[in-house]
């Protein structure tokens, strides 16, 4: 960051200007560390979510052909309890998100 800060003729002594630049470097380093930790947490979460989708993706592989798509449309329920349902489309979407087909939404 120090390379990108140009100290102009504001009357600051070199020692004061150096302290400001050092402060910016420390702040940039702290921000970079926070971003790195957040990126690692997101990568772990992504891996866990992908693992949780695998059984749905595997089952979807059994009804992703054209005939199954016609006989079992995406909006047809596979399982439900009250207003909460799982549809064939939910299974197909899990498969698509894991790269099992080109149909990811």
């Amino acid at each position: 960051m120090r390379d990108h800060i140009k100290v102009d003729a504001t009357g600051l002594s070199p020692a004061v200007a150096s302290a400001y630049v050092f402060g910016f470097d420390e702040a940039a380093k702290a921000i970079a560390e926070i971003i790195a930790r957040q990126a690692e947490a997101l990568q772990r979460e992504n891996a866990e979510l992908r693992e949780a989708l695998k059984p749905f993706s595997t089952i979807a592989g059994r009804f992703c052909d054209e005939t199954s798509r016609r006989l079992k449309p995406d909006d047809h329920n596979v399982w439900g309890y009250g207003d909460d349902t799982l549809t064939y489309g939910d299974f197909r979407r899990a498969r698509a998100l894991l790269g099992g087909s080109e149909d990811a939404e």
Side-chain angles (χ1 to χ4, degrees):
M1 181 163 222
R2 183 174 289 128
D3 295 337
H4 301 289
I5 297 174
K6 183 176 181 180
V7 179
D8 61 13
T10 60
L12 295 176
S13 71
V16 172
S18 178
Y20 280 117
V21 172
F22 180 74
F24 285 126
D25 285 348
E26 290 301 310
K29 182 179 175 183
I31 291 168
E33 289 171 359
I34 290 168
I35 291 170
R37 283 195 303 273
Q38 289 175 338
E40 289 171 8
L42 288 171
Q43 289 172 345
R44 282 191 304 275
E45 181 182 26
N46 183 302
E48 291 171 7
L49 291 170
R50 292 180 65 79
E51 192 64 32
L53 286 176
K54 281 183 181 179
F56 296 92
S57 175
T58 300
I59 290 171
R62 297 177 184 229
F63 47 82
C64 278
D65 61 89
E66 193 56 41
T67 301
S68 292
R69 284 183 175 277
R70 193 170 19 86
L71 296 174
K72 301 171 183 168
D74 285 350
D75 62 347
H76 281 204
N77 291 344
V78 175
W79 178 88
Y81 185 79
D83 291 337
D84 299 320
T85 62
L86 282 173
T87 65
Y88 286 104
D90 294 328
F91 284 86
R92 290 180 182 122
R93 186 164 163 247
R95 183 173 177 79
L97 289 170
L98 291 179
S101 78
E102 316 73 53
D103 300 339
E105 296 176 2

